[in-house]
Amino acid sequence: MTKTVVILGAGSGFGLAIARAFSQAGNHSVLVARNAQNLQTMTEDLHMEGLAADWIAADATNPQQTANLFLQVSRQFGQPQTFIYNVADTTLDGPLTTSTQKIMQSFNTNVLGAITTSRQFLDLAPTDLPRNILFTGGGAAHHPDKTTTTLSLTKAALRSYALSLAAELKDTNTYVGLITIQGIAGTSEAMLPANVAQVYVNAVNTRNTAEIFYPDTTANSPQNSTNYVNSQPIRINVAPF
């Protein structure tokens, strides 16, 4: 039976690469973001490669839309086995310059959306098949910087939730993994989208590590961190919202 994978935050970079990698592994990928035209184009590209994929437009910060998303996926393709939250607002900001309203908006995107959708995924009809939840994290969670204040604090909050959820579900058939990406897309062989995407596929195949650091095996030190180049944050998980 073909397994269904839902990728929320399916942009043209890492999100598309993740969808492609899962479809190449024999899964049916469902690409989700707000921009329907982009989703249709990416899905058609996958079809041209002979890969199984569909798309559904939904806003990760709208609980009603995401609830309908999971309902639609279940009705059309059966219960999904894997859910990937790959959405983030990575806007540059400082500790004194960003309005609290903007911080709240980023928190809704980076954290609350992840909490809401992972719970909605878990609330689907029970299945005997193993299920997986993967969150895209970032090195900013480990190394706060004055130019990425909100990104750092929200990635740290996401990390806290993901690891707590992993511990809560440890003895169930649901695996929870946090993929902590420590690099900038395209700056090295390791950071090519296709190579990053394989980390997600490997995670659901092995199902044994709550936090996976990539490309390093542990958190980079602030001095050696590859998350920033000329004060630019990583851009690996921005959905076209």
Side-chain angles (χ1 to χ4, degrees), residues 70-87:
F70 287 115
L71 181 61
Q72 186 174 346
V73 169
S74 298
R75 286 176 174 174
Q76 292 186 344
F77 315 115
Q79 297 294 328
Q81 279 73 56
T82 299
F83 170 59
I84 300 170
Y85 194 85
N86 186 56
V87 184

Side-chain angles (χ1 to χ4, degrees), residues 81 83 121 130-134 165-166 169-170 172-179 199-200 202-212:
Q81 279 73 56
F83 170 59
F121 173 75
R131 296 193 292 181
N132 309 286
I133 300 174
L134 299 180
L165 184 62
L169 299 177
K170 182 178 180 180
T172 72
N173 69 344
T174 300
Y175 163 70
V176 178
L178 174 69
I179 313 299
V199 180
Y200 292 76
N202 293 340
V204 301
N205 288 336
T206 56
R207 297 168 53 89
N208 60 7
T209 305
E211 182 170 17
I212 298 170

Side-chain angles (χ1 to χ4, degrees), residues 109-130:
T109 300
N110 296 0
V111 185
L112 191 58
I115 295 173
T116 300
T117 53
S118 60
R119 289 181 177 182
Q120 289 173 336
F121 173 75
L122 291 170
D123 286 341
L124 296 175
T127 174
D128 293 333
L129 295 174

Side-chain angles (χ1 to χ4, degrees), residues 60-107:
T61 64
N62 186 316
Q64 186 59 56
Q65 289 188 21
T66 54
N68 290 338
L69 155 70
F70 287 115
L71 181 61
Q72 186 174 346
V73 169
S74 298
R75 286 176 174 174
Q76 292 186 344
F77 315 115
Q79 297 294 328
Q81 279 73 56
T82 299
F83 170 59
I84 300 170
Y85 194 85
N86 186 56
V87 184
D89 178 350
T90 60
T91 305
L92 285 166
D93 69 347
L96 300 176
T97 57
T98 306
S99 69
T100 54
Q101 181 179 5
K102 172 57 180 172
I103 294 172
M104 184 178 297
Q105 290 173 349
S106 296
F107 185 86

